[in-house]
Amino acid sequence: MFKKLNYTKLLIFLSFNYFTYAQSDVIFLEKNCVDNSLKNVSTFLQQNSNIYIDSVSEIIGSKNMLEYPVIIICGDNYLKLDDKQINIIKEHLVFGNLLIIDNYKSDYTFTIFLEKILPDYTISSLSNDKIFKNYYEINFENIGFDTKQIFINQQLRVIGIKSKSILKEVENLEIDNIKFLSSIILNFLLGG
């Protein structure tokens, strides 16, 4: 009887690991984003976690955005979205998805933007090593990102990176930056 119980436990464990680490997702990139960099993240995730990600690059505004678990908004200027786009992103976050704001320039604009999207939640400024589980052993001393976050029910839902583009850093094959963005995505997909 104990042998059967051990085999059952082993099968459950193996099937859980298979379904957890063998998956495929598509990330929504705002049209201004550098989508070549996500190929580096996808390769890293596939080699280290059996997760394959792809990306679609479109203009924010379509309802099909809700199909994507992660939205990345990029820009070298201030955050500029109309009310329709803000409502779509708000709906996206209410469904439990993740928003990454890459390279925002002004704390003031960032705060106003987030107050429109999630007025009931506070912005945190945790250090990068406190945001998620460090599965890839990132050396946070090599990460020069100033981030702000919003958590809903202790789950990361919004992360903003100020005055520096993580996608451009990932495109330059900086391994700690690839690990950082990969960790954000992996932790979100695993529910951590």
Side-chain angles (χ1 to χ4, degrees):
M1 180 170 157
F2 287 112
K3 258 186 169 177
K4 287 182 183 178
L5 185 60
N6 287 336
Y7 286 126
T8 305
K9 284 182 181 178
L10 179 64
L11 285 174
I12 290 171
F13 175 76
L14 290 176
S15 64
F16 175 75
N17 281 338
Y18 173 76
F19 289 118
T20 302
Y21 294 105
Q23 62 182 353
S24 175
D25 281 300
V26 179
I27 293 176
F28 184 94
L29 284 170
E30 182 190 23
K31 200 71 167 165
N32 298 334
C33 296
V34 180
D35 59 352
N36 291 339
S37 55
L38 279 182
K39 290 180 178 110
N40 299 333
V41 172
S42 180
T43 301
F44 182 83
L45 282 169
Q46 196 168 13
Q47 290 172 347
N48 295 287
S49 304
N50 283 341
I51 293 175
Y52 175 76
I53 61 167
D54 199 1
S55 62
V56 61
S57 182
E58 294 180 16
I59 296 172
I60 293 177
S62 62
K63 282 287 188 183
N64 67 344
M65 281 178 52
L66 298 175
E67 298 172 11
Y68 306 110
V70 179
I71 291 179
I72 301 177
I73 297 176
C74 305
D76 293 326
N77 298 316
Y78 297 101
L79 295 170
K80 297 176 190 169
L81 295 176
D82 62 30
D83 288 338
K84 179 185 175 190
Q85 292 171 321
I86 287 174
N87 287 333
I88 289 171
I89 291 175
K90 185 178 195 175
E91 191 174 346
H92 176 79
L93 295 173
V94 167
F95 279 165
N97 298 336
L98 176 67
L99 173 64
I100 299 173
I101 302 170
D102 191 32
N103 198 17
Y104 73 90
K105 296 294 184 190
S106 162
D107 281 327
Y108 178 73
T109 306
F110 182 71
T111 304
I112 289 175
F113 175 75
L114 290 178
E115 283 176 2
K116 286 183 180 180
I117 293 177
L118 296 171
D120 299 333
Y121 297 94
T122 58
I123 299 171
S124 358
S125 293
L126 297 176
S127 61
N128 291 331
D129 60 336
K130 304 273 190 265
I131 298 172
F132 49 75
K133 294 178 186 169
N134 190 359
Y135 293 115
Y136 300 126
E137 299 176 1
I138 301 167
N139 182 356
F140 285 101
E141 292 175 11
N142 293 338
I143 304 281
F145 296 113
D146 180 14
T147 63
K148 295 196 186 278
Q149 315 85 25
I150 292 181
F151 292 85
I152 298 176
N153 297 327
Q154 299 175 342
Q155 300 276 330
L156 180 66
R157 290 295 175 237
V158 178
I159 183 166
I161 300 163
K162 184 177 180 189
S163 300
K164 190 173 181 182
S165 173
I166 190 169
L167 291 176
K168 288 182 182 170
E169 297 294 321
V170 165
E171 190 176 36
N172 295 334
L173 297 175
E174 296 288 333
I175 190 64
D176 281 323
N177 296 328
I178 291 172
K179 287 179 179 181
F180 184 65
L181 184 54
S182 298
S183 289
I184 292 169
I185 294 168
L186 177 68
N187 275 272
F188 172 74
L189 293 176
L190 295 179

